[in-house]
């Protein structure tokens, strides 16, 4: 239903404190937050506020989280939609949905419109080898029309996320569209420690739990996997009828998540 696709919540309570690591990316998005908070400042100077910002990076690194945090920091409404919602859609529905989304956004400006998995709509038109998917193309065209359409006195920032920027139609990357890219990369050791700290805060911990050690034990993990480890550890402790989550619960959770990742890689690797 439409309500699931378009939320437009006035109160987003995610802030930069919830987004761990990613200091450089935060610095870059800070300017966008400032556009949303003080559009007048930029208009007075005659500066054009960018419309589209593409958040790129591997799965689970916090692109959605960062987009929400930007809305939370700026104190503006957040409208979101996912490219995957448009797959297999009836003729006309995708374009109509994009039109609705932007209509809502314009009414509530300043605001953020977030398009997750944009490659599902915005895949290069020349590169799609399958039979021409007219509906996807209609949806993409509508998106381009909407992005070009609204005047710059409405501060609507369109954020989009993708882990495959290479697949995107070049029309999307032109000036005035998604002409800024911000990399949301996998965390390094320190980043993982910071992410653990954010998610450990929610748990009742034993005294032996150490974020640094956990970071050392989880090379290659993205934030989503770290959040998953923390939750699995708490569930493990509950199964053992413990009152606190201890290091052994985390060890078992890490094994479990690593096992899941290995399975996933086995399924994916023959094709890639
Ligand atoms: P995908 O590309 O798979 O959609 P994504 O990059 O949008 O993923 P999110 O959906 O933002 O990733 O991340 C999923 C969850 O993982 C977040 O809700 C959060 O709990 C956790 N997480 C990911 N990255 C971070 C981070 N940098 N700091 C804190 N938590 C994080």
């Amino acid at each position: 239903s439409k309500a699931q696709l378009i939320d437009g919540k006035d109160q987003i309570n995610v802030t930069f404190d919830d987004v761990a690591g990613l200091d450089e990316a935060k610095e870059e998005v800070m300017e966008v937050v400032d556009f949303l908070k003080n559009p007048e400042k930029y208009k007075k100077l005659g500066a054009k506020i960018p419309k589209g910002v593409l958040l790129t990076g591997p799965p689970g690194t916090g692109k959605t989280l960062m987009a929400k945090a930007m809305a939370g920091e700026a104190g503006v409404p957040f409208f979101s939609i996912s490219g995957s919602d448009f797959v297999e859609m009836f003729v006309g529905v995708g374009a109509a949905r994009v039109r609705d989304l932007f209509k809502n956004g314009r009414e509530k400006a300043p605001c953020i419109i977030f398009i997750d998995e944009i490659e599902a709509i915005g895949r290069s038109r020349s590169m799609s080898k399958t039979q021409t998917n007219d509906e996807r193309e209609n949806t993409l065209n509508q998106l381009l029309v909407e992005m070009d359409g609204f005047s710059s006195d409405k501060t609507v920032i369109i954020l989009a996320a993708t882990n495959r920027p290479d697949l995107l139609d070049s029309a999307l990357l032109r000036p005035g569209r998604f002409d800024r890219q911000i990399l949301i990369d996998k965390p390094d050791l320190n980043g993982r420690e910071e992410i653990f700290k954010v998610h450990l805060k929610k748990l009742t911990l034993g005294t032996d739990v150490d974020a640094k050690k956990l970071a050392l034990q989880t090379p290659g993990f993205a934030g989503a996997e770290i959040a998953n480890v923390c939750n699995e550890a708490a569930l493990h402790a509950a199964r053992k009828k413990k009152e606190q989550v201890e290091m052994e619960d985390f060890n078992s959770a890490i094994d479990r998540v690593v096992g899941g990742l290995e399975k996933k890689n086995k399924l994916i690797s023959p094709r890639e």
Side-chain angles (χ1 to χ4, degrees):
S1 76
K2 200 156 113 185
Q4 280 174 311
L5 289 171
I6 300 169
D7 28 274
K9 278 196 203 97
D10 286 306
Q11 280 296 309
I12 284 277
N13 46 20
V14 179
T15 69
F16 284 150
D17 286 342
D18 299 298
V19 187
L22 299 172
D23 291 338
E24 264 175 56
K26 268 188 212 169
E27 199 117 319
E28 287 183 73
V29 303
M30 217 83 97
E31 191 183 17
V32 180
V33 169
D34 198 52
F35 296 148
L36 288 160
K37 277 166 111 172
N38 311 298
E40 291 312 320
K41 178 170 108 188
Y42 295 88
K43 275 170 207 159
K44 266 192 206 142
L45 288 167
K48 244 194 233 144
I49 293 174
K51 282 183 187 169
V53 178
L54 191 63
L55 305 175
T56 64
T61 46
K63 295 182 286 299
T64 305
L65 191 66
M66 183 69 96
K68 285 188 177 159
M70 288 165 77
E73 293 285 339
V76 300
F78 182 80
F79 295 88
S80 72
I81 206 161
S82 174
S84 58
D85 298 331
F86 291 95
V87 178
E88 314 253 318
M89 220 169 227
F90 292 112
V91 177
V93 176
R97 208 154 265 182
V98 168
R99 212 176 303 127
D100 276 357
L101 179 69
F102 278 81
K103 184 168 172 281
N104 288 335
R106 272 191 292 266
E107 279 166 8
K108 289 230 184 170
C111 75
I112 284 179
I113 291 179
F114 177 60
I115 307 169
D116 201 4
E117 299 179 61
I118 193 168
E119 73 280 0
I121 316 171
R123 197 176 277 261
S124 164
R125 282 167 285 196
S126 60
M127 264 161 65
S128 39
K129 291 189 193 91
T130 49
Q131 95 257 41
T132 46
N133 181 342
D134 286 340
E135 186 43 20
R136 194 186 54 74
E137 220 170 293
N138 287 341
T139 308
L140 173 57
N141 288 335
Q142 189 63 37
L143 177 60
L144 297 175
V145 165
E146 296 290 348
M147 284 192 85
D148 295 343
F150 60 84
S151 63
S152 46
D153 56 286
K154 294 272 184 209
T155 311
V156 178
I157 302 267
I158 304 137
L159 303 176
T162 184
N163 43 42
R164 296 299 307 271
D166 55 309
L167 294 181
L168 292 183
D169 199 292
S170 58
L172 278 169
L173 307 176
R174 258 177 232 148
R177 293 172 181 165
F178 294 101
D179 49 9
R180 285 194 174 201
Q181 292 199 17
I182 297 177
L183 176 65
I184 310 289
D185 214 348
K186 273 201 181 176
D188 61 8
L189 180 65
N190 280 325
R192 293 198 300 278
E193 183 179 348
E194 294 306 311
I195 298 173
F196 266 110
K197 282 183 183 156
V198 164
H199 292 277
L200 291 177
K201 255 192 253 159
K202 301 165 198 163
L203 307 179
T204 305
L205 296 175
T207 50
D208 65 339
V209 176
D210 182 298
K212 179 115 229 158
K213 276 190 200 148
L214 290 169
L216 280 164
Q217 284 173 253
T218 49
F221 278 40
E225 284 132 23
I226 291 174
N228 192 5
V229 162
C230 292
N231 196 51
E232 285 286 339
L235 293 176
H236 188 267
R239 256 178 253 130
K240 301 264 155 164
K241 303 199 166 35
K242 292 195 207 169
E243 312 235 304
Q244 294 173 328
V245 192
E246 294 170 323
M247 209 58 178
E248 62 160 17
D249 301 305
F250 283 95
N251 292 334
S252 143
I254 290 169
D255 287 345
R256 207 176 164 131
V257 172
V258 168
L261 289 176
E262 278 170 358
K263 231 194 228 156
K264 211 160 78 186
N265 287 338
K266 250 186 220 148
L267 288 173
I268 293 167
S269 50
R271 274 197 297 146
E272 290 207 326

